[in-house]
Structures are given as structure tokens and as C-alpha cells.
Amino acid sequence: MYILGVWDGHDSGAALIEGNKILYAANEERFTGRKLEVAFPRKSISAALEYTGLKPGDIEVVAFPTTELTKTISRIFPWQKENYYKFRRRKMLKPRLETLMRFTKYSMTTIGRIPLSATISNFAVSREMRRIGFSDFKIFPVEHHTAHAATAAFTSGHKKGLVVTIDGLGDGLSGSISSFANGSLERLAEIPARDSIGIFYEQVTNILGMRELEDEGKVMAMADYSFPFKFEENKLKDFFEVKDCSILAKYGPLKQYDALNRISWSMPREQFAYMAQQLLEHVLQQFFAQLHERYGFSNLSLSGGIMSNVKANMKIRELDLFNSIYVFPHMGDGGIALGAAMWANYELNGVSAYDFNIYLGDEYDEDNILSMLRKEKGIDFALESDTHSHAAELIEKDNYIFWYSGRMEYGPRALGNRSILAKADSETVKEKLNIMVKQREWFQPFAPSMLQEDASKLLEDVKEYNKFMTMAYRVKKGRSEIMRSVMHVDMTARPQMVGNENRQYRGILSGVKKESGYGVLLNTSFNIHGQPIVRTPEDAIDTMKKTKTKYMFLNGFFVENKLSR
Ligand SMILES: [Fe+2]
């Protein structure tokens, strides 16, 4: 049975599964070029069909998440979500009615699922599917946090464990707690949207002059530039409390926004960021300690936007209560198309485990790439037999390279197939990449990829391999020079530990190891800041030209830009 998952909200996308296999998954932003796209994922759906050679008539079930009232209204009036997209991304001058827009947004947060909205959502999504040629399918709505939970539980590899989702909100909730055992996923408790720590962090992001639902990672990074202080001195400390395995907010979202605004006014930005990050870590540590005490599971799997906070995840790991902590790598709403499909497959066919890998998107063969390269001007190219050694050699000479290989990654991180790579111990590459290529702010750190077997030589507390850059680790004493360009100012790093799941990528890391003693590299996503990661070889060449980058490996081809800096 082919099941298509479709998500038509923030970071829309599609995923196609059959049995216990994920055949294809991608997000619409990669097709439209608009980061965190909100439009109906027509292009992702047609790419899924094209990749698998299927037709609309082959799809038996179309699953979609979230039927809350506000989402339903945006399905009937799509211009509304387009307006909010521009507002949220600050692609307009500050509207005079900003306060009213925020008031409307936050006053509707607590309204969850009502029967009428579910019926209308079913109708609206089915209508969109018919418009793109689907006629005979079963429509399968899935509750928002159930979709998040399915991604965490069913790809974790755990036979048994606790499953926790925490985000801004969806279907009236900001979190869920479930048990997963003997192939069965059961909800134990919920956190209402009113008590959302995700909305809290989103509001902090906004008050700091950054884009909510997009720049939360920048807030986390900025926090490290504050002088540290004790939790007792944190002016936000009583905004949340944790009691009886529940997170409780002092204020509802509207009052909270006002209170945060007033407090932030009195201090530098990095100090305010520090307070918010410290509070988040404090709340999550207490919350997970209580959950462990009550439910007693030794494995934990996590999903939802808040779980993208790698520092908070590190603090959960450092509680040292769980044997294994798995964070689903596409933890934000971008991953719930897959979650909805998985939940439908679980309900209809009893499937509750997938052999998950992250490389689920488009790929291009040699003929495609060759015919594209022949049309390009201003470049030299050649097919190479040993791209690994060549790439490693260029990196060792302190060049950064563009690395494009195989199927595109699913989710926010480039994990070795659409990556920009450089020396992990370079003194200069960080500034070069930040200013000339990525156009990022100076305080944003880069992350490393490393051979699994080298992880515990470079980092503290490596109990299990983190393949997806979902958690921070402390860099070992004496290793900070090797990790100079991939370490944050507080001596932590967010690593990808590479095993046999990506042999091409391991090849370069092994090449680097031969030259420098450690298989570690700087790995950042192949894009210009504010734009999605590149999808096609054409996107890659275009980015190479725009950034005047000299070297690129494009599957087996070595490409050199004649007009580089
Ligand atoms: Fe969510």
C-alpha cells in the first residue's frame, strides 16, 4: 500500500512510504526557493511520484496532519498564510497593525481541534489533491503531535521507550508524552498550547529582532556571548514551572509577550537570549527528570521544534538518566508529512519501525549532470576516479569546497550530500565562509562531521553515535585546536558522527584523517543564508557562480570556476 503524507503549513512537504520503507521525502522550499515554504506541496508530491515512477492512481491513502481551526481557515483562504509568511519573515515594512496581528495570532492559540474544522480540512485537502490529478484515495487526517511522535518512535530503533514531543503548538497542544512498547504507541499525557515553551522561545526570537520559527538557533548561539549568571538571578525564572510531569506557564501567550518585551528593554540582547536559553534548559531538565521518575523508561525519543535546540538536548543527556536519546532529525513541522504517513501506516497496517536514513530526496545521474555541465559557461570540469583524495587534499590546503553527492537530505541539516566542507582547524575559513559565502551573522557557529570512531577522541560523553547533528557535546580538553573552526565559544560542538550510512562522505573524512590524524571536517549546508539548501546540479552551479567559489565536486565530476575569487 502506497501512502502519501502531505503537509501544507510551515515548511510544507510530502513523503511517500510503502510497507516499512520510506521511498521519498522532501520539502517544498527546495523546489520553490522560498525557505520554509508554506504553499501546498504540489512540487514535492510530483517529485515523489516522478522519483518512484508512480501515478496518482497508485496512491491508496493520502495522510495529512493538523485540523485545528486556524490551520483550517488558512486552507480555505490560502492568501492568509501567504500574508503571515511575509510578515513572519519580515519581507515587508513593519505593518502599522503589527500589535493587532500578534493579538489575533496569540488569542487563537488555545483553540484546538473541533469536529467541524476537521471536516472542512478533510474537504480542503482532498480538493487540492483532486486539482493535481488524484481521484481515488482515502483521506486520512492525523493529529499534529501524533505525527511528530510517530516520526520519533518509529525511526528511533528503540524497541521500547518514552516518546516526547514539544513544539510551539499544533492542534491545541504544545507537547505530548507517549509510551512505545511492543510496536504500540500510546499517548500518556499532553501539554496544552497555553503552556507552550515553544511559543515562549518564538516570542523571545521575535523580540530580539529575529524571525520567529526560523532564527531560534541564532538566539541559542547568541546566548553564549552573555556573561553567565545564576538561575536565581534570571528575570524570566518564574515564567514557567514544572509540576507533576507538566510544564506550566505563568502567563498566557499575550500577557507573556508583553512581559517579555518589558524585561528585554532593560538589558543587552545577548543577556536576554541567555536568560531565555537558561530557562528552557532548566525547565526541560526538570521535566525530563520527572518523566523518568514517573514512567521509568531508559530510552527516550524526541521530536517537535523545541528539540532542535541542541544545547537543551545536551542538558537532557547530561542528566544521565536515559541510556539512549534519539532526536528525529526533521523535528520541526517540516517532518510531519512523513509523520502523518507513518501514523496512517501504523493504524492501517500495523507498521511501527523503519530502517531510517536521511537521504530521501532527489538525485541525478551522470548523464543528467554531464549534459548540464556542457551547457555552462565559465567553468572547467572533468570526471574523476578518486574524488575523495582530491577533495581531502584541497581541504587540507585550507580551501573550502562544495560537495554535492547522491540523494538530497531530508530536513534542515546538510549531512554530507549537499554540504560545504572545510578544515576543522582552520584559522581563517570561518570568517571567509560567514562573510563571503553564507552571509551569516558572526556569532553563528559551524558544526563538524567526524568519523564515528573518532568521536570519543574529540568529544566528551559519547555514549551513542549521533548521526544527525541533533545534540551538542563538549569538546575534550586538548582537542580544541583541532576543532577550532567547528566549536562554539563555550567549547561545545554539534557533530554529525558518520558511520557506514554514507560511504562517499566517509571517503573524504578518511582522506582528511590520513593527512591530519583525525577524520573531522567543517560541514555547513550548501546554500546561501536565507535560502534553502540546493537541490539540483543547476542550483549547485548557480550558487557556485553567485559566491565566486572555486571548487566543487558534483557526484563524480570535479568542477572549477574560472571566475572565482
Ligand atoms: Fe509542530
Side-chain angles (χ1 to χ4, degrees):
M1 179 191 280
Y2 291 107
I3 302 178
L4 182 70
V6 171
W7 166 236
D8 55 345
H10 173 73
D11 201 9
S12 58
L16 183 57
I17 62 177
E18 190 215 5
N20 61 357
K21 298 251 173 328
I22 305 164
L23 304 177
Y24 182 94
N27 291 87
E28 196 72 358
E29 60 163 28
R30 307 286 164 92
F31 299 87
T32 64
R34 298 200 318 165
K35 200 168 181 187
L36 303 168
E37 179 62 86
V38 291
F40 196 84
R42 288 184 190 88
K43 294 184 166 133
S44 318
I45 295 169
S46 72
L49 294 179
E50 196 180 323
Y51 186 84
T52 50
L54 296 172
K55 296 193 171 52
D58 298 321
I59 308 296
E60 280 180 58
V61 178
V62 174
F64 73 97
T66 320
T67 55
E68 65 191 17
L69 183 65
T70 46
K71 182 73 211 127
T72 302
I73 294 171
S74 78
R75 285 186 174 119
I76 303 295
F77 306 108
W79 53 266
Q80 216 191 26
K81 66 178 175 182
E82 182 60 27
N83 280 355
Y84 176 66
Y85 179 80
K86 291 197 178 113
F87 171 63
R88 184 193 69 69
R89 298 206 76 211
R90 303 193 177 201
K91 297 281 180 201
M92 52 163 73
L93 293 177
K94 188 175 176 177
R96 294 215 162 79
L97 297 175
E98 195 218 355
T99 316
L100 180 67
M101 286 174 89
R102 259 178 224 294
F103 177 81
T104 317
K105 178 181 167 182
Y106 292 127
S107 56
M108 291 180 87
T109 50
T110 46
I111 309 170
R113 300 213 290 178
I114 51 173
L116 182 64
S117 68
T119 311
I120 298 172
S121 268
N122 278 1
F123 163 78
V125 175
S126 301
R127 185 182 61 182
E128 286 298 329
M129 295 305 293
R130 279 195 293 275
R131 279 181 185 155
I132 53 172
F134 286 73
S135 55
D136 189 19
F137 57 90
K138 178 183 166 62
I139 191 88
F140 199 104
V142 177
E143 189 267 330
H144 187 89
H145 280 270
T146 303
H148 277 309
T151 57
F154 301 160
T155 66
S156 65
H158 297 155
K159 293 254 177 304
K160 200 174 159 184
L162 196 65
V163 183
V164 180
T165 66
I166 309 178
D167 66 1
L169 82 144
D171 281 335
L173 299 178
S174 66
S176 72
I177 302 153
S178 308
S179 67
F180 181 55
N182 305 319
S184 145
L185 181 61
E186 275 168 41
R187 177 143 324 161
L188 303 168
E190 298 173 338
I191 307 169
R194 186 209 167 269
D195 296 311
S196 175
I197 195 141
I199 290 181
F200 160 82
Y201 212 88
E202 186 185 312
Q203 291 182 336
V204 168
T205 306
N206 179 276
I207 290 165
L208 285 170
M210 299 191 245
R211 294 165 299 188
E212 66 222 46
L213 300 175
E214 186 164 345
D215 291 337
E216 279 72 8
K218 286 193 197 175
V219 176
M220 184 188 75
M222 184 188 267
D224 285 327
Y225 287 89
S226 165
F227 60 87
F229 46 84
K230 289 195 181 110
F231 185 68
E232 293 71 51
E233 293 159 23
N234 188 328
K235 289 187 179 160
L236 309 179
K237 70 172 188 291
D238 62 348
F239 273 52
F240 285 88
E241 64 169 326
V242 181
K243 223 166 143 185
D244 297 329
C245 292
S246 226
I247 297 173
L248 303 167
K250 184 177 179 186
Y251 305 112
L254 278 168
K255 267 196 171 166
Q256 178 180 268
Y257 189 74
D258 187 45
L260 284 171
N261 241 323
R262 297 181 67 197
I263 292 171
S264 76
W265 189 73
S266 65
M267 66 184 74
R269 296 202 318 158
E270 60 277 12
Q271 203 175 322
F272 187 58
Y274 183 93
M275 284 186 183
Q277 178 66 21
Q278 190 190 45
L279 176 66
L280 175 72
E281 291 171 8
H282 179 85
V283 166
L284 292 186
Q285 278 204 319
Q286 286 197 326
F287 180 58
F288 282 96
Q290 289 185 10
L291 290 182
H292 183 265
E293 198 179 320
R294 177 173 295 180
Y295 299 110
F297 286 100
S298 61
N299 295 329
L300 178 64
S301 56
L302 302 168
S303 193
I306 274 291
M307 303 338 290
S308 66
N309 194 302
V310 295
K311 288 280 179 62
N313 294 347
M314 177 176 84
K315 291 289 168 83
I316 300 168
R317 188 187 76 238
E318 287 181 346
L319 287 171
D320 209 16
L321 295 171
F322 299 96
N323 290 341
S324 170
I325 302 177
Y326 170 78
V327 185
F328 178 65
H330 205 354
M331 63 289 274
D333 283 357
I336 54 177
L338 179 61
M342 283 177 165
W343 184 258
N345 201 19
Y346 168 77
E347 289 265 341
L348 300 169
N349 305 313
V351 178
S352 63
Y354 296 81
D355 189 10
F356 180 73
N357 85 73
I358 199 83
Y359 309 104
L360 296 168
D362 298 271
E363 67 183 334
Y364 296 85
D365 62 21
E366 206 179 293
D367 293 346
N368 274 178
I369 294 176
L370 186 61
S371 66
M372 186 275 296
L373 286 171
R374 280 186 179 138
K375 282 182 225 148
E376 290 291 336
K377 294 196 175 76
I379 55 163
D380 287 326
F381 64 91
L383 196 59
E384 282 198 355
S385 56
D386 189 4
T387 50
H388 300 154
S389 311
H390 190 186
E393 190 191 309
L394 287 172
I395 290 166
E396 272 312 301
K397 288 182 183 153
D398 216 2
N399 297 292
Y400 73 87
I401 61 161
F402 285 176
W403 178 260
Y404 180 106
S405 166
R407 294 187 75 176
M408 182 175 71
E409 297 90 342
Y410 185 47
R413 306 266 165 254
L415 295 170
N417 281 7
R418 302 284 187 281
S419 287
I420 300 174
L421 307 176
K423 244 161 100 87
D425 63 349
S426 172
E427 298 206 15
T428 53
V429 78
K430 207 168 144 181
E431 279 64 40
K432 206 191 307 180
L433 284 174
N434 258 346
I435 296 164
M436 281 156 37
V437 184
K438 300 279 294 193
Q439 297 161 17
R440 305 190 323 161
E441 284 175 86
W442 62 271
F443 57 86
Q444 291 185 265
F446 287 108
S449 293
M450 57 185 66
L451 291 171
Q452 270 185 358
E453 56 272 31
D454 285 353
S456 55
K457 295 176 200 156
L458 298 165
L459 306 166
E460 300 283 359
D461 195 29
V462 180
K463 282 184 269 179
E464 56 184 337
Y465 295 130
N466 190 307
K467 293 196 276 190
F468 305 124
M469 283 190 176
T470 54
M471 203 179 269
Y473 290 77
R474 296 178 199 278
V475 173
K476 272 201 163 159
K477 280 211 175 80
R479 298 287 185 264
S480 54
E481 286 205 357
I482 297 159
M483 304 273 283
R484 193 184 285 126
S485 62
V486 291
M487 197 175 67
H488 206 7
V489 63
D490 67 345
M491 310 273 286
T492 64
R494 181 193 66 201
Q496 173 195 7
M497 302 175 191
V498 183
N500 286 323
E501 67 282 354
N502 190 337
R503 289 183 175 276
Q504 289 294 330
Y505 197 35
R506 264 191 82 84
I508 312 180
L509 286 161
S510 305
V512 168
K513 185 171 181 164
K514 262 188 225 153
E515 307 264 345
S516 68
Y518 292 96
V520 59
L521 277 174
L522 179 155
N523 169 14
T524 184
S525 51
F526 191 166
N527 63 327
I528 300 171
H529 191 63
Q531 288 180 14
I533 295 175
V534 300
R535 183 176 63 90
T536 65
E538 284 87 348
D539 296 343
I541 289 279
D542 193 41
T543 305
M544 186 187 204
K545 288 184 173 172
K546 273 189 189 142
T547 56
K548 296 190 164 41
T549 292
K550 192 158 189 191
Y551 305 116
M552 172 157 67
F553 291 85
L554 197 50
N555 280 358
F557 291 94
F558 175 57
V559 185
E560 210 169 334
N561 185 356
K562 291 194 226 168
L563 300 169
S564 63
R565 276 183 235 270

